[in-house]
Amino acid sequence: MTKKLGILGGTFNPIHVGHLAAAEEVRERLDLARILFIPSFLPPHKDDEAIPPAAQRLAMVKIAIAGNPQFSLSDIEVQRGGKSYTVDTVTDLHRAYPGAEFFFITGLDSFLDIQTWKDWERLLGLCSFVVLSRQGHAFTDLVNLPFMKTSKQKLEVLDSGEQARIKAETAAGMSLWLEQVPLYDISSTDIRKRIRQGRSIKYLLPDAVETYILDNTLYA
């Protein structure tokens, strides 16, 4: 039986409960064997963001996922170094997990910009995409992507909440799941801002991650 693995990449600056809850939701819906959390070394689209060293972000993810045996930490992008491009990571994962089927989890806001990603057309053939709803963005906006063949009417049932998921049709032959997930109104940007302002971040991320941030004076 082919092993189904989810990929959740990102800066994780810092990781928070929204990341964890969304990953678990996708794992359960798609019956994935495991979710790989992959912190980026140098994110290509966040040059203006102050980012702690990769070792500290790896440590925070490791702490955050410790209680879930179906969550795993991968340092594949950190070990590779340089800018972290998804197409390179998924290619390397195929070598590391021969025969596995990969599901790349991303937000609707990011997927709408897929044509700006490195070798995006090749990437579409390397893995399935799981696109999660994002506040302020509509699934019907996907009709503007040239490879999308799913009708606007079909996408509207996601935006309205009538359906929680659909498998979309594309001209690229890719597997694309669109998921309306519960709203976790938490952002790493807001957490960093709260820390700078001396405000509480409790319940926005795991207690152990909060302790790590405070002990290492991150984001202050």
Side-chain angles (χ1 to χ4, degrees), residues 14-213:
I15 189 168
H16 53 68
V17 295
H19 294 126
L20 302 172
E24 180 66 6
E25 185 81 15
V26 171
R27 186 201 63 75
E28 184 177 52
R29 287 188 188 187
L30 295 178
D31 192 26
L32 305 181
R34 200 187 322 168
I35 302 284
L36 303 176
F37 285 73
I38 306 181
S40 57
F41 183 67
L42 289 176
H45 298 292
K46 296 189 178 181
D47 293 333
D48 59 342
E49 184 177 301
I51 302 174
Q56 290 185 314
R57 291 181 289 110
L58 281 167
M60 287 189 282
V61 173
K62 184 177 182 179
I63 292 167
I65 68 175
N68 191 331
Q70 290 164 312
F71 286 176
S72 296
L73 172 64
S74 171
D75 65 354
I76 192 169
E77 293 190 349
V78 173
Q79 290 294 326
R80 190 169 65 238
K83 287 201 171 182
S84 301
Y85 293 106
T86 301
V87 67
D88 297 332
T89 298
V90 177
T91 298
D92 289 346
L93 288 172
H94 275 286
R95 298 191 190 103
Y97 299 91
E101 183 179 1
F102 293 100
F103 295 77
F104 187 83
I105 304 164
T106 190
L108 175 57
D109 51 342
S110 295
F111 190 77
L112 287 167
D113 291 328
I114 189 74
Q115 293 173 97
T116 67
W117 297 20
K118 178 186 175 184
D119 295 341
W120 67 274
E121 289 177 290
R122 182 162 72 89
L123 175 61
L124 296 183
L126 289 175
C127 60
S128 300
F129 271 78
V130 184
V131 180
L132 309 184
S133 53
R134 284 288 186 268
Q135 190 173 26
H137 294 81
F139 281 107
T140 49
D141 293 338
L142 290 169
V143 297
N144 297 317
L145 296 177
F147 56 84
M148 288 293 298
K149 296 301 178 184
T150 301
S151 69
K152 186 175 182 179
Q153 184 178 19
K154 189 172 181 180
L155 294 170
E156 284 174 346
V157 300
L158 284 170
D159 290 329
S160 68
E162 291 177 51
Q163 287 184 221
R165 64 182 307 205
I166 64 170
K167 186 173 182 181
E169 299 172 4
T170 72
M174 64 180 292
S175 293
L176 176 61
W177 277 263
L178 307 178
E179 304 282 344
Q180 181 64 261
V181 295
L183 174 62
Y184 308 107
D185 193 14
I186 302 171
S187 77
S188 297
T189 301
D190 180 58
I191 290 172
R192 296 194 302 271
K193 181 179 178 181
R194 283 172 171 269
I195 293 170
R196 288 193 300 270
Q197 295 174 342
R199 299 171 62 197
S200 173
I201 56 172
K202 192 167 290 296
Y203 310 122
L204 301 179
L205 32 65
D207 289 343
V209 176
E210 178 185 9
T211 299
Y212 183 92
I213 288 172

